[in-house]
Amino acid sequence: METGVRGFHLTQKKNFLEPYYDGKKSFPVQMRKLRDLLDSDLSYYHEVDEISSLMNDWLSLHSKWEDSQIFSANEKLKISDQVKSKKIMDQFREVTAGILELENEKLETNKIKRINNANSTIFYSVILGIALGFVLAIIIRQQMFRLFHSYEENYNLMVGARSELENLNSDLEKKVAERTMSLKAVNDELETFCYSVSHDLRSPLRGVDGFSQALLEDYDSVLDENGKKYLSFI
């Protein structure tokens, strides 16, 4: 806005004022955003009010040449007003720079806190991991002793079960062989029957299909809708 006003007073060309008018429209919106961002932080309360006050002073300084009569008279901003305008802008930049500096300091402080918290978390996690590992080692050792004592008993049971399983497998193989032969004989009979039926039915079914098609083609005008539907079913 400051640059646009300076350009206008130097050249008397209105197109230099576009940034001024754009800034004048957007400033209230930007101030609301700034207040929303800093609403929970009371440490910036005075800075935000000072920004608003400085902007109002700057706008008041430049508002007089916006009057249509003075505007058309090409009245230039006085040197004293130009100096005052620049002073206001310098104060404006100083306040905003102060806010940014404080925010950067807070970010750095928070960063250090997060690093310290992370280091603490890692340290306590390692201690906890060692303690849990020691407890788990004791539990695993007890379990291994129990498994060792029950191993021989389980081994003997497994040997007996294996012998019984071998006997069952031998009987099962015989039964499977007998059943396979029986199923093969039944399957052969079924294949023979299916071949015979398909061969015997092929010709008469072809005749039924052909005559049904002939009725639809030759007697289309005689048959009603139900008749045509029945023939389609056939």
Side-chain angles (χ1 to χ4, degrees):
M1 292 173 73
E2 173 79 6
T3 302
V5 170
R6 287 174 180 270
F8 168 72
H9 286 294
L10 287 172
T11 63
Q12 294 299 307
K13 293 181 179 180
K14 297 180 182 179
N15 59 326
F16 279 92
L17 291 175
E18 289 182 6
Y20 170 81
Y21 290 117
D22 291 341
K24 191 174 181 180
K25 291 179 181 178
S26 65
F27 180 75
V29 178
Q30 300 301 328
M31 277 302 299
R32 283 197 295 271
K33 289 182 179 180
L34 183 62
R35 289 185 185 277
D36 291 339
L37 288 171
L38 304 178
D39 185 49
S40 59
D41 195 343
L42 297 178
S43 60
Y44 296 120
Y45 181 81
H46 295 293
E47 282 81 355
V48 174
D49 284 346
E50 187 174 359
I51 288 173
S52 181
S53 176
L54 286 170
M55 194 62 187
N56 289 331
D57 292 343
W58 189 89
L59 288 172
S60 298
L61 182 65
H62 293 281
S63 62
K64 58 183 179 180
W65 55 265
E66 285 193 81
D67 181 77
S68 59
Q69 294 180 356
I70 298 176
F71 189 89
S72 62
N74 295 331
E75 179 179 323
K76 294 185 177 181
L77 197 67
K78 296 178 181 178
I79 298 298
S80 59
D81 290 341
Q82 293 181 22
V83 174
K84 187 176 180 181
S85 176
K86 183 180 183 303
K87 184 178 179 181
I88 292 174
M89 275 298 152
D90 290 341
Q91 291 177 319
F92 191 95
R93 294 188 184 97
E94 184 180 346
V95 174
T96 54
I99 294 176
L100 288 175
E101 185 177 355
L102 287 174
E103 281 298 295
N104 288 329
E105 290 177 359
K106 289 181 180 179
L107 288 174
E108 189 64 26
T109 302
N110 290 334
K111 180 181 177 181
I112 295 173
K113 287 182 179 179
R114 287 196 297 270
I115 293 174
N116 292 335
N117 291 337
N119 291 334
S120 299
T121 302
I122 293 172
F123 174 77
Y124 289 116
S125 297
V126 170
I127 298 298
L128 180 61
I130 294 173
L132 289 175
F134 181 74
V135 174
L136 286 174
I138 294 175
I139 295 174
I140 291 172
R141 184 173 180 272
Q142 293 175 347
Q143 293 295 328
M144 290 183 67
F145 274 116
R146 291 177 184 174
L147 289 173
F148 178 78
H149 289 302
S150 62
Y151 173 77
E152 186 175 2
E153 181 181 354
N154 291 332
Y155 177 77
N156 293 332
L157 291 174
M158 185 173 64
V159 170
R162 180 179 179 182
S163 177
E164 185 179 354
L165 182 61
E166 289 176 350
N167 294 332
L168 291 173
N169 283 337
S170 179
D171 293 339
L172 182 61
E173 287 177 358
K174 294 179 182 178
K175 292 180 180 179
V176 169
E178 294 173 358
R179 184 61 177 169
T180 300
M181 293 180 63
S182 175
L183 290 174
K184 187 177 183 303
V186 172
N187 191 52
D188 291 341
E189 292 179 3
L190 182 60
E191 288 182 357
T192 302
F193 173 76
C194 288
Y195 176 79
S196 177
V197 169
S198 63
H199 182 271
D200 293 342
L201 287 180
R202 187 177 294 116
S203 295
L205 286 175
R206 189 181 295 114
V208 171
D209 180 62
F211 281 110
S212 299
Q213 188 64 33
L215 283 172
L216 284 172
E217 293 175 357
D218 299 338
Y219 294 93
D220 181 70
S221 60
V222 177
L223 293 171
D224 59 7
E225 290 302 321
N226 283 333
K228 295 177 183 178
K229 185 188 299 184
Y230 296 158
L231 284 174
S232 297
F233 290 156
I234 293 174

